[in-house]
């Protein structure tokens, strides 16, 4: 069994989730991602840790990881509008505006934002 190597890896899943949220709220995104990655692996069927993990990757400029996590999220939860929005923003930051457009449009449509004609 792999033993935790640092203090933030100790505790129950709920304690680690709270710790990850504290790091995220403190803008310590890379540290939050480190905790959330383990949580997401333990419970891949739970949306919240995986979405926060993708956000932590995005904010810590780990854009490849953010994209990978968001694509996996959308494969499982295709109607998750925030995942579409964040994937669109991630792709834009990676210089892939053409790939971003459909995700941004989908997120806007799901949020009820339609372009005025």
């Amino acid at each position: 069994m792999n033993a935790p190597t640092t203090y933030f890896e100790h505790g129950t899943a709920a304690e680690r989730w709270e710790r990850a949220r504290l790091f995220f709220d403190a803008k310590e995104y890379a540290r939050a991602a480190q905790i959330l990655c383990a949580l997401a692996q333990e419970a891949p069927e739970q949306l919240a840790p995986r979405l926060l993990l993708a956000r932590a990757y995005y904010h810590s400029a780990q854009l490849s990881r953010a994209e990978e996590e968001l694509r996996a999220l959308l494969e499982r939860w295709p109607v998750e509008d925030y995942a579409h929005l964040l994937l669109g923003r991630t792709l834009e930051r990676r210089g892939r505006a053409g790939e971003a457009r459909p995700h941004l449009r989908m997120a806007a449509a799901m949020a009820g934002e339609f372009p005025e004609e």
Side-chain angles (χ1 to χ4, degrees):
M1 181 173 177
N2 292 337
T5 57
T6 57
Y7 80 92
F8 52 82
E9 294 172 331
H10 289 277
T12 65
E15 291 168 337
R16 289 179 287 136
W17 167 251
E18 184 60 30
R19 193 171 301 123
R21 291 187 50 107
L22 289 171
F23 278 113
F24 187 90
D25 291 344
K27 296 182 176 20
E28 294 285 338
Y29 302 117
R31 181 69 67 211
Q34 191 174 7
I35 299 165
L36 289 162
C37 185
L39 285 172
Q41 289 174 353
E42 289 172 27
E45 72 285 353
Q46 292 187 8
L47 174 63
R50 295 185 66 188
L51 191 54
L52 191 60
L53 173 60
R55 291 177 64 199
Y57 283 150
Y58 175 83
H59 288 297
S60 62
Q62 297 180 61
L63 300 179
S64 294
R65 289 179 175 172
E67 180 183 350
E68 182 180 320
E69 186 63 34
L70 289 161
R71 289 190 186 280
L73 280 170
L74 288 171
E75 188 173 306
R76 188 166 187 149
W77 295 281
V79 296
E80 180 54 48
D81 62 324
Y82 188 74
H84 279 286
L85 175 65
L86 192 55
L87 179 56
R89 297 288 182 234
T90 300
L91 292 168
E92 283 180 331
R93 280 182 72 184
R94 298 191 77 194
R96 294 160 48 199
E99 289 180 61
R101 270 187 229 100
H103 293 286
L104 296 173
R105 282 195 301 262
M106 180 70 77
M110 288 177 166
E113 300 168 10
F114 300 100
E116 293 182 24
E117 299 194 30

